[in-house]
Amino acid sequence: MSVEVEVNENDLAEMVEQVWESYLDPEGINPLIPTYDENQPSEVHSSVSITGSWTGHLVYACSTEAARRAAAAFLAMEPDEVSQDDLSDVLGELANIVGGNVKAMLPPGAFLSLPQVVLAPESTARFPNTERISGVYGIWDGEPVSISMWHSRADNSQEEGA
């Protein structure tokens, strides 16, 4: 049975800010500027699932250009040196870092999946039977970025006819 989440929007914003300051903008030159737009466009997505005492997903979504810049900052490279593998690795790691921080605030018994990364701009990450419970939405150096939490509405332990 999934319990109510103990991570609120302010907690998530603080986690994202720490990631930004540590990995993506250590000099404080290009902070994530809040837009509060839950429907801003995104082309690439990475996510981790949390199961156990709480069931849901942490999703990092952004434009391809923001992903390239994030990978370059994270790996101390120039954006034009970033490969598709670099993009995938860094986006997965960003979701994993924030997801791990979220998991640490949940009751014991929560488990974090390996990251899933979708680098296909024509596709959209969807999580059936979930509702968005919080998110950080912003613009980073002119590009859209969002980090959102989704809670599963159904009790996943009751699988019928599988």
Side-chain angles (χ1 to χ4, degrees):
M1 178 181 292
S2 186
V3 298
E4 289 299 313
V5 69
E6 296 182 5
V7 180
N8 64 37
E9 198 137 330
N10 290 333
D11 294 329
L12 184 61
E14 187 176 312
M15 291 175 206
V16 170
E17 184 176 342
Q18 289 173 356
V19 167
W20 232 259
E21 291 173 356
S22 297
Y23 300 103
L24 303 180
D25 187 31
E27 287 103 30
I29 297 169
N30 291 313
L32 181 63
I33 308 297
T35 62
Y36 308 101
D37 180 5
E38 295 178 1
N39 299 310
Q40 65 189 25
S42 60
E43 298 170 320
V44 295
H45 307 88
S46 60
S47 64
V48 289
S49 296
I50 302 170
T51 57
S53 60
W54 186 83
T55 304
H57 311 278
L58 183 287
V59 180
Y60 183 103
C62 62
S63 68
T64 302
E65 185 57 32
R68 183 169 304 289
R69 290 178 189 164
F74 199 94
L75 299 172
M77 303 168 72
E78 292 299 318
D80 61 352
E81 297 174 324
V82 173
S83 70
Q84 289 289 94
D85 286 343
D86 294 332
L87 283 178
S88 182
D89 289 347
V90 169
L91 288 180
E93 189 57 28
L94 290 171
N96 197 45
I97 291 168
V98 179
N101 287 326
V102 166
K103 177 188 162 286
M105 294 184 73
L106 296 172
F111 301 95
L112 195 65
S113 74
L114 292 173
Q116 300 294 314
V117 180
V118 178
L119 298 178
E122 63 279 354
S123 68
T124 303
R126 299 201 191 282
F127 299 96
N129 297 318
T130 62
E131 65 179 315
R132 182 179 11 223
I133 59 168
S134 67
V136 175
Y137 310 93
I139 299 292
W140 181 43
D141 202 17
E143 296 292 326
V145 175
S146 68
I147 299 88
S148 56
M149 287 181 58
W150 298 75
H151 185 246
S152 294
R153 292 185 293 225
D155 184 359
N156 291 335
S157 65
Q158 298 175 352
E159 294 183 40
E160 297 179 27

